[in-house]
Amino acid sequence: MIGIISALNAELMEIVENLETEKVIYKNLIFYKAKIYNKDVVLGICGVGKVNAAMYTQAMIDYFNPKVIINIGVAGSTCKDVKIGNLVIGTQYFYHDFDCTQAGSYTLGEMPGLKDVKFISDENLVNIAYEKAKKVLKEDEIFKGIIATGDVFVAKKETKDFIKEKFNSFCCEMESCAIVHVCHLNNVKYLALRSISDNANEDADCDFETFLIKASKVVKSIILDIIKEI
Ligand code: ADE
């Protein structure tokens, strides 16, 4: 079983609508079971933010026992080379808003008890995603790199620059680190694919509205191809 999670309707429903699916409700959450290239897949929308993402991921794992979960969706760019419509394939994930620094010797994003834990995607999965993305995008439009997650829609250059400086991230969004954190604790492989809808600056809210659908289509166009291969 392969799990696919997005936060928003726009990021996933077009895929679901074109598949024959069975709707499963578990813990008041909706999941769509389907066969894609003869593989068992479960897809669903977790809602925005870390708690929604974590809860949905745990429920998906408990009910469907997927071997891998792929989070798809849009993100704000935190890096000047990463433009609207480009794709970021997550290699490592951080919480940019988890802050125990005032409690002593913690760095920003570091969780007590998880000091030596890194949330890193399987290299093979990352490479498969990169190869599939090359069919749709030019190489300079595809980035493998760090994704920063927080319960913040970033729409200030100052905040975006701070996140970039602290985490060397390519983009910021609101779910992937929570999803991969839960996957890590359950021994499930994970990957996040995020296409850029905005630049996480003062224009972000307007750009997000304008480019949400277009950016979502970028990821949608490669996810089926990835499922075929894994
Ligand atoms: N998802 C898309 N754009 C975003 C932004 N600017 N901040 C957080 N999450 C996002």
Side-chain angles (χ1 to χ4, degrees):
M1 181 71 84
I2 298 166
I4 307 290
I5 300 177
S6 71
L8 302 172
N9 232 37
E11 294 167 324
L12 190 84
M13 274 329 262
E14 206 179 291
I15 301 177
V16 170
E17 279 156 12
N18 288 311
L19 291 170
E20 209 174 289
T21 58
E22 180 195 334
K23 191 169 166 179
V24 175
I25 297 183
Y26 175 65
K27 297 211 166 150
N28 283 329
L29 301 168
I30 300 172
F31 299 89
Y32 299 93
K33 262 181 84 177
K35 283 249 187 229
I36 300 178
Y37 296 115
N38 223 23
K39 293 189 175 157
D40 289 315
V41 180
V42 54
L43 308 100
I45 293 157
C46 64
V48 174
K50 296 184 299 185
V51 171
N52 283 324
M55 190 181 158
Y56 194 89
T57 305
Q58 188 63 58
M60 180 182 271
I61 293 170
D62 289 346
Y63 195 93
F64 297 96
N65 194 24
K67 62 173 181 179
V68 53
I69 290 182
I70 303 178
N71 168 226
I72 62 172
V74 297
S77 170
T78 53
C79 175
K80 68 175 177 14
D81 298 332
V82 183
K83 309 274 195 289
I84 291 175
N86 289 180
L87 180 75
V88 177
I89 302 168
T91 53
Q92 190 173 359
Y93 309 83
F94 290 100
Y95 294 116
H96 66 73
D97 62 347
F98 192 95
D99 188 353
C100 278
T101 55
Q102 292 176 36
S105 60
Y106 298 105
T107 56
L108 187 66
E110 184 184 331
M111 292 208 155
L114 287 183
K115 186 176 174 25
D116 299 320
V117 172
K118 288 189 165 70
F119 301 132
I120 294 178
S121 280
D122 178 80
E123 205 182 331
N124 189 40
L125 267 181
V126 170
N127 291 338
I128 290 171
Y130 189 82
E131 287 309 309
K132 301 303 175 192
K134 275 202 299 193
K135 292 186 184 176
V136 186
L137 295 168
K138 299 195 204 94
E139 283 194 42
D140 64 357
E141 297 173 323
I142 313 167
F143 297 84
K144 296 181 191 176
I146 292 168
I147 299 180
T149 298
D151 281 329
V152 185
F153 184 86
V154 180
K156 273 193 189 145
K157 187 178 178 308
E158 195 190 334
T159 312
K160 155 205 170 120
D161 289 346
F162 176 79
I163 293 170
K164 168 76 182 162
E165 188 204 314
K166 290 284 176 192
F167 299 99
N168 202 20
S169 56
F170 285 63
C171 66
C172 62
E173 37 77 296
M174 303 177 70
E175 296 83 22
S176 69
C177 194
I179 292 172
V180 307
H181 185 169
V182 173
C183 286
H184 167 84
L185 296 175
N186 287 273
N187 257 324
V188 173
K189 281 187 190 173
Y190 50 81
L191 179 70
L193 300 173
R194 294 280 182 159
S195 66
I196 302 301
S197 56
D198 61 83
N199 290 313
N201 59 10
E202 282 68 8
D203 297 325
D205 57 342
C206 185
D207 287 344
F208 177 82
E209 295 291 332
T210 310
F211 295 108
L212 170 64
I213 303 291
K214 202 171 160 215
S216 298
K217 282 190 197 304
V218 173
V219 187
K220 283 181 203 162
S221 64
I222 64 165
I223 188 69
L224 298 182
D225 223 11
I226 294 173
I227 291 170
K228 191 175 181 181
E229 180 93 18
I230 60 177

